[in-house]
Amino acid sequence: MAIISQDSDLDWTSPDDPDCPYNWPLWKRIYMTSIPAFLCVNVSFASSVYTSGTNDISQQFDVSRTESLLGLSLFLWALGLGAIIAAPVSEYYGRRIVYLTTVPVFGLFTLGSGLAQNFVTLIVCRTFAGFFGSAVVSVGGGTNADLWQPTLAGVVYPFYFVSPFLGPAFGPVIGGYLSEAKGWRWLQWVILFMVIFNYLYALPQSETYKKTILEKRMQAEKGPNVSSIRPFNVTLPSRAILQRILLKPFKMLFVESIVLFMTIYMAFNFAVFYSFFAAFPYIFGPGGHYSFTSGQQGLTFLSIALGCVVGFVAVVYIDRRTYPALETKYGLGKVPPEYRLYGAMVGSALNPASLFWFGWSANAGTYWASPVVAAVPFAVGNIMVYSSGALYIMNSYGSLHGASALSANSLLRYAFGGAFPLFTVQLFSSLGIGWASSLLGFISIVLVPVPWVLYKYGKRIRAHSRYIMVGAS
């Protein structure tokens, strides 16, 4: 067993090392992959289902509709902030401990949200729930990188990558009728029931992070006082903690061009996605163009869910049609990451087209099916851009730095996602539905070239990265 350096990994004894997650039984890897996917659906569902109760919250706590949306925005901002800490912590202590310690705290603050007797308590609990729920959002990509070789990444990863969008899409579908029948507090109880189920499901999980597995194995073989191994009960100096846990994702966001530009594109799409949770009630709800009830309005989000599923299938289809031939050409594990961008390149055209269609059909007051269906291609394009972009980032930076790169991505995505709903209604009421949606469409057009440029110049950009091994494809 080779020891490289304190900042590098120990190495596997051979490619067939049974402790390597790549060599685990298929059923075990599928189970391990499903854990962050289910938890991510849980947390992302918690973000949007809250919006189904904002009218009740406004009335009960005597706040405006925009103020009531702080429960959504603060939750999302906390998700992004927590990701900056959770992902690097998982690269230091391992993935398992992060999942098993943060999820129960997320559940406790969800309980606090449901029991809140005033608005301040509600939004404080929602904020901390988002912060502790962030781990499953940011660490899941690293878990998948631990478990699956690049040859299968294009099939397996999208199962996880679709979860931050499927969860929010189903939130209003379930929450609309539930809030009508039981009130807004029951929205929190549903989240809590999901937390209990998912936590029990996740308890038997094994550690997947290479460094943690090998360090524990070395400790077991030679005792806990081996100088080459970092003892788990020793706290790093504060400066090193800041550098490892806080600064690395920020540094990658602003120093790594791949992370920066792909993140800006993905963050804007994510923000538009979450703006729908304010725009749909404005357009379809009581007082809007269509005057749907809360339950009926929630059903319009089924178009988003359908688009997410179609986008997932499209990404997997493109990968299976292209990647095996590329592996034959370049060799296993040697395909340049830029080929992961095919899905984003295809999906990039769908987003602006969908926004123009959605805005002007709703503005004209056409039959409700037209603007509802118009949201489908946006959801398809959004999933294709996100899945391909996240795969590209993970393939570029690998399991060692990929979680930090994706946590930087999460920070900006959730910052944008939390901000947009706060001004969406004002934007649509000031400019009109058609022009407000068109403004978002024009910005989307400006961002379309991002995956195309990275596809062409990505290899040259990666050559200057300090986080990518020299000589990588």
Side-chain angles (χ1 to χ4, degrees):
M1 188 184 304
I3 298 178
I4 301 174
S5 71
Q6 186 154 353
D7 291 330
S8 301
D9 278 345
L10 304 171
D11 213 350
W12 306 116
T13 54
S14 72
D16 298 322
D17 192 319
D19 287 336
C20 175
Y22 286 175
N23 299 320
W24 290 353
L26 180 61
W27 68 265
K28 185 175 182 179
R29 286 186 289 158
I30 291 174
Y31 164 69
M32 293 300 300
T33 301
S34 69
I35 290 172
F38 288 166
L39 287 170
C40 195
V41 167
N42 196 163
V43 172
S44 59
F45 174 87
S47 70
S48 70
V49 74
Y50 168 88
T51 62
S52 297
T54 50
N55 286 334
D56 290 344
I57 290 169
S58 297
Q59 294 173 8
Q60 180 171 343
F61 297 126
D62 193 25
V63 296
S64 68
R65 174 66 194 276
T66 300
E67 288 173 326
S68 70
L69 285 172
L70 282 172
L72 169 65
S73 295
L74 289 170
F75 186 95
L76 294 175
W77 288 335
L79 275 177
L81 180 62
I84 288 293
I85 299 175
V89 166
S90 79
E91 292 173 349
Y92 191 75
Y93 291 109
R95 321 288 193 201
R96 184 176 185 271
I97 191 171
V98 173
Y99 291 132
L100 295 183
T101 56
T102 58
V103 172
V105 185
F106 165 70
L108 288 175
F109 280 108
T110 299
L111 176 64
S113 299
L115 296 174
Q117 298 302 308
N118 58 69
F119 185 64
V120 172
T121 302
L122 173 61
I123 62 172
V124 167
C125 287
R126 286 282 296 175
T127 301
F128 280 104
F131 182 82
F132 286 98
S134 64
V136 302
V137 176
S138 60
V139 177
T143 298
N144 280 279
D146 298 338
L147 290 165
W148 302 97
Q149 295 173 317
T151 184
L152 292 174
V155 176
V156 178
Y157 279 39
F159 278 101
Y160 169 72
F161 291 147
V162 76
S163 57
F165 301 95
L166 268 182
F170 282 113
V173 175
I174 297 172
Y177 285 107
L178 185 61
S179 63
E180 282 184 343
K182 294 290 187 179
W184 69 268
R185 295 184 190 277
W186 265 90
L187 305 178
Q188 304 304 309
W189 305 150
V190 170
I191 300 168
L192 195 58
F193 296 152
M194 294 172 67
V195 170
I196 294 170
F197 170 81
N198 284 323
Y199 189 72
L200 293 175
Y201 179 77
L203 277 176
Q205 69 180 284
S206 303
E207 180 57 59
T208 63
Y209 191 49
K210 178 181 179 181
K211 182 185 292 185
T212 306
I213 293 172
L214 292 176
E215 287 177 346
K216 286 185 175 181
R217 184 165 75 178
M218 181 66 81
Q219 287 177 347
E221 291 175 354
K222 296 189 176 181
N225 296 318
V226 180
S227 60
S228 304
I229 308 302
R230 179 184 69 248
F232 286 93
N233 60 348
V234 175
T235 303
L236 283 176
S238 60
R239 183 177 177 182
I241 290 177
L242 286 174
Q243 186 174 8
R244 283 180 178 268
I245 294 181
L246 296 178
L247 298 184
K248 181 180 176 183
F250 283 106
K251 185 181 292 186
M252 294 188 75
L253 179 60
F254 293 107
V255 174
E256 296 292 308
S257 299
I258 288 172
V259 178
L260 175 62
F261 288 104
M262 205 67 227
T263 293
I264 290 174
Y265 189 22
M266 294 160 70
F268 174 76
N269 288 342
F270 198 71
V272 174
F273 174 78
Y274 267 97
S275 73
F276 285 159
F277 295 98
F280 273 40
Y282 175 77
I283 295 169
F284 296 107
H289 280 55
Y290 298 95
S291 298
F292 287 178
T293 66
S294 295
Q296 292 170 335
Q297 169 196 304
L299 292 178
T300 61
F301 284 90
L302 286 173
S303 62
I304 302 290
L306 174 62
C308 291
V309 174
V310 173
F312 158 73
V313 172
V315 169
V316 173
Y317 176 79
I318 291 172
D319 180 86
R320 289 300 86 192
R321 291 286 294 178
T322 59
Y323 214 74
L326 290 169
E327 286 192 317
T328 300
K329 177 180 179 181
Y330 290 99
L332 290 175
K334 297 181 180 179
V335 179
E338 284 68 36
Y339 289 107
R340 295 295 192 187
L341 291 170
Y342 282 152
M345 293 158 71
V346 173
S348 61
L350 297 175
N351 294 347
S354 174
L355 289 169
F356 290 124
W357 176 12
F358 172 78
W360 290 108
S361 62
N363 190 78
T366 59
Y367 185 58
W368 63 265
S370 181
V372 169
V373 174
V376 174
F378 177 84
V380 174
N382 191 24
I383 288 295
M384 295 183 77
V385 170
Y386 177 74
S387 295
S388 297
L391 268 173
Y392 177 51
I393 290 172
M394 285 303 303
N395 277 192
S396 295
Y397 294 96
S399 62
L400 285 180
H401 306 297
S404 286
L406 286 182
S407 73
N409 182 282
S410 294
L411 174 67
L412 207 60
R413 280 192 299 113
Y414 285 107
F416 280 30
F420 270 48
L422 293 178
F423 61 79
T424 296
V425 173
Q426 292 88 333
L427 180 69
F428 276 68
S429 60
S430 299
L431 298 182
I433 297 172
W435 283 112
S437 190
S438 294
L439 175 61
L440 300 176
F442 288 130
I443 298 173
S444 185
I445 288 175
V446 172
L447 294 170
V448 163
V450 169
W452 297 83
V453 172
L454 289 176
Y455 177 79
K456 185 172 183 179
Y457 299 106
K459 184 176 182 180
R460 191 181 306 175
I461 295 171
R462 286 187 290 110
H464 299 285
S465 172
R466 60 179 296 180
Y467 293 101
I468 300 174
M469 290 180 59
V470 177
S473 298

